[in-house]
Amino acid sequence: MKPQIVNAKMNRMFLRDKVIKAAVFAAIVFSVVMMTGYRKFDNSVFITDNGVTKEVKTNESDVYEILRAENYTLGTEDRVSYAKDNNNEGHITIHRAFDVTVKADGETKTITTVGGKVSDILEKAGITLGSTDEVEPALDEYAKADMVIDVTRIRYVERQKTEELPFETKYKDNPNAAIGTEEILTQGENGIRTTVLKDTYINGKLEKTEQISKKITKQPVTQVVERGVSLSTPYNQNTPDSVKLVNGIPENYTRIVSGKATAYSAPDGARTASGRLAVVGTVAVNPNVIPYGSELYIVSPDGMVYGYAIAADTGLGMMEGTVAVDLFMASYEDSCRWGAHYVDIYVLSEGNG
């Protein structure tokens, strides 16, 4: 029996020795691991730079430490973004800065940016756009390296231009006034025409002018001038407007009777041979030569003008043929002043007796 006990004790001793050796081995392995720096990396990080993506295994949580460990260098204007998904994977994107040229107001600026739209670049450049300014490329276009942004300043200015419209002058012939005499019946006034123009300024320089509207804002007033057309002031001031004179002579007539003209007067209410009242503008004639009721215009070649008359009376001198016409005057003194003159009698219309 004694030998069996010894064997049992020996077995226990051998087992204990194995356990101790295993523990020692494990301790040695752990020490070796610690000394050699071995680590287990739990995270995958994908780094994208200039469109190139690289996968990195790390337990580091600081983005910039990760980039530094992987020898990525950042510029002062570069930007970094980081995102982590549900698979415990991280994504680092390096946004490299680039230059954009902005031309505005006669100046050129270089703006360093990592992206954004044209509108963002202009804001960074401190450029404010007016409502009519134009930008190339468009404001909503995304910026890219070496892009040139041109700002065109456009300004529209409306203005008014006025000009005078000269008035016209119309003449009204007055057969009862001598040639060379004039009287303004209506004073003329200049009108005003207003034109609205639109000037287009591009970058401060006038490029074009357009007419928006044109209208007369004040109508001109025609000046009316009455002018004499008789050779001299007619004795009879009742020449109708229907008698048109050219150089003091009737424009239209049927015939001319020439001869001596004398003058006479009569008391108020006196009547003529034809039964008409004897008034200024009635004359005596030979009714066989010039029928009663004929319309006449009587003027002397020496410039004396009796004017418009109606053949209404007769007398001995007319019937004998020594006098062509006897002119009725308002007074005896007037008839004396007339005396006798050689005249032309223009028959405007033939009377019927």
Side-chain angles (χ1 to χ4, degrees):
M1 297 297 295
K2 197 168 183 180
Q4 292 178 349
I5 293 173
V6 173
N7 291 336
K9 287 182 178 181
M10 291 297 291
N11 288 335
R12 285 196 296 271
M13 289 176 64
F14 287 132
L15 178 61
R16 184 174 58 190
D17 185 54
K18 289 181 179 179
V19 171
I20 292 172
K21 288 180 178 180
V24 172
F25 178 77
I28 293 172
V29 170
F30 177 75
S31 298
V32 171
V33 169
M34 293 303 294
M35 291 174 66
T36 57
Y38 174 79
R39 297 174 62 185
K40 180 182 179 182
F41 299 104
D42 296 327
N43 300 325
S44 290
V45 176
F46 296 89
I47 303 174
T48 300
D49 182 19
N50 286 328
V52 178
T53 301
K54 174 183 177 181
E55 182 180 2
V56 175
K57 296 291 186 177
T58 183
N59 281 327
E60 183 62 62
S61 60
D62 188 315
V63 172
Y64 292 98
E65 288 297 331
I66 296 172
L67 293 177
R68 190 176 296 111
E70 296 299 322
N71 297 319
Y72 284 95
T73 303
L74 297 177
T76 57
E77 297 292 334
D78 293 341
R79 296 292 180 266
V80 176
S81 62
Y82 175 75
K84 191 173 184 179
D85 59 23
N86 295 330
N87 295 323
N88 208 29
E89 292 181 348
H91 297 270
I92 299 174
T93 302
I94 301 175
H95 304 276
R96 296 293 182 182
F98 53 86
D99 290 338
V100 174
T101 301
V102 179
K103 295 182 178 180
D105 304 319
E107 296 181 355
T108 299
K109 296 181 179 180
T110 299
I111 303 300
T112 302
T113 183
V114 294
K117 296 181 178 180
V118 170
S119 57
D120 301 320
I121 305 301
L122 293 180
E123 183 177 356
K124 191 172 182 179
I127 295 174
T128 302
L129 296 178
S131 60
T132 55
D133 293 339
E134 294 182 356
V135 179
E136 179 64 32
L139 289 173
D140 58 355
E141 187 167 328
Y142 284 94
K144 56 186 177 182
D146 299 323
M147 174 182 278
V148 177
I149 300 174
D150 276 312
V151 176
T152 302
R153 300 292 191 184
I154 300 178
R155 183 167 60 96
Y156 301 105
V157 178
E158 285 194 6
R159 58 186 173 90
Q160 287 188 346
K161 183 181 73 173
T162 58
E163 57 182 318
E164 279 193 339
L165 297 177
F167 63 83
E168 294 182 355
T169 299
K170 290 187 177 180
Y171 291 93
K172 180 181 179 182
D173 291 343
N174 181 4
N176 297 306
I179 294 172
T181 60
E182 291 185 351
E183 181 183 357
I184 296 177
L185 302 180
T186 303
Q187 182 63 54
E189 294 181 17
N190 288 335
I192 297 176
R193 179 163 53 211
T194 301
T195 303
V196 178
L197 302 172
K198 183 173 76 171
D199 294 329
T200 300
Y201 291 87
I202 297 180
N203 292 328
K205 181 181 178 182
L206 178 62
E207 291 294 333
K208 66 176 180 178
T209 298
E210 300 173 88
Q211 179 178 299
I212 303 300
S213 64
K214 179 187 285 189
K215 63 180 179 180
I216 297 176
T217 51
K218 179 185 176 183
Q219 291 289 346
V221 177
T222 300
Q223 180 164 284
V224 179
V225 178
E226 185 178 78
R227 61 184 176 185
V229 291
S230 178
L231 291 178
S232 62
T233 302
Y235 183 80
N236 179 17
Q237 287 288 293
N238 294 313
T239 304
D241 291 338
S242 59
V243 178
K244 305 298 181 183
L245 302 179
V246 177
N247 296 323
I249 304 303
E251 184 177 30
N252 298 304
Y253 54 90
T254 60
R255 57 193 173 104
I256 302 175
V257 177
S258 299
K260 187 167 83 170
T262 56
Y264 75 106
S265 63
D268 290 344
R271 291 196 173 269
T272 62
S274 65
R276 295 173 181 263
L277 283 174
V279 294
V280 174
T282 58
V283 294
V285 297
N286 182 342
N288 297 320
V289 178
I290 301 175
Y292 291 145
S294 296
E295 291 182 284
L296 313 172
Y297 191 84
I298 302 168
V299 58
S300 170
D302 61 11
M304 295 286 287
V305 178
Y306 183 81
Y308 180 76
I310 298 292
D313 207 354
T314 191
L316 183 62
M318 277 66 70
M319 296 306 296
E320 289 178 350
T322 58
V323 177
V325 62
D326 200 10
L327 311 174
F328 185 85
M329 299 286 180
S331 66
Y332 174 75
E333 290 77 14
D334 285 351
S335 63
C336 291
R337 277 191 289 272
W338 176 272
H341 287 274
Y342 186 86
V343 297
D344 290 324
I345 305 168
Y346 293 88
V347 180
L348 306 179
S349 67
E350 301 288 345
N352 57 11

